[in-house]
Amino acid sequence: MTLQKHRFAWLMPPLLSLLCACAGTNSDPEILPEAQALEPGTTLHYVRSNQDLTNPRDIYVHLVSPTELAVVKRQAPCTDAALVTASFDPETGEALTMTGGRLDRNGEQVAQTFLTFDPDTRMIEIRFGSPDGTEPQLAETAPPAPWRMYDFDLAEFALFGPAGMQGTEDFTFGLALAWPADDAPPFQILGDYNAELSNSQLGDDGLAKWNMFKVTGDGIEEGDLWLDARSGHVVQAYFQRPNHPGYDDFNLRLVETMEGAPAWTTLLQSHWTTCPEDSD
């Protein structure tokens, strides 16, 4: 059990601690970014923290393609960083595979943990060390569709968030959670959640900039979720339940959008560029 929990660090490492003024918990909608359409190659930079701004971590969500995401989580340059990749069913928006690992000095992933989802049986299976193991080390029935991995920091919304005409409709989703803490199951099914439209803010053109939803469910209690009106990605979120050990609650805020695949490549490679050889 201890080994399994250690290997789950790919889903919730202690990552980048850049705290900037724009990463605060001020929920004034006037400071939220303008609505934007996302294209493959875009990278969304978030800061995750407690709601009082303590324990900040930087999360980078990269849109590889319409069905693929890559997420970097890091605490500071020259320190251990996670790189998680995922592929999705384009029809359902559910993750079919997730691969977790570390970011090496070449800007590439050293894969360590492999998750697969079977839409027919709705079973989630997790293997450590190799994707080809004959038996999964962990297996659970997925939560209600479309299921999301809570410790993936809501990255799925970058591809499959409600947008356009559907952006103001209430919706539901399921949550699973990897939790590598002592005396707790390392992989948990949190159940299903309801997101009810609370309000929208309109831009100068009379169109919605973002939509705010009240989220309720047994596993995370009540939370607030602001979604971009054009693409459906998260611009801000508050929940009472933390999604990583070491946190008291959950605050995620979009602070920067980077365009183009070269910006992502630079991010991956620059993490170790000026580091001494013995950095880890």
Side-chain angles (χ1 to χ4, degrees), residues 78-97:
C78 305
T79 61
D80 191 31
L83 174 56
V84 185
T85 56
S87 63
F88 297 85
D89 184 318
E91 299 299 325
T92 66
E94 294 188 296
L96 299 176
T97 66

Side-chain angles (χ1 to χ4, degrees), residues 112-114 116 125-137:
Q112 299 170 321
T113 307
F114 305 87
T116 58
E125 297 183 345
I126 297 173
R127 294 172 171 81
F128 304 112
S130 169
D132 303 320
T134 56
E135 295 294 334
Q137 283 86 349

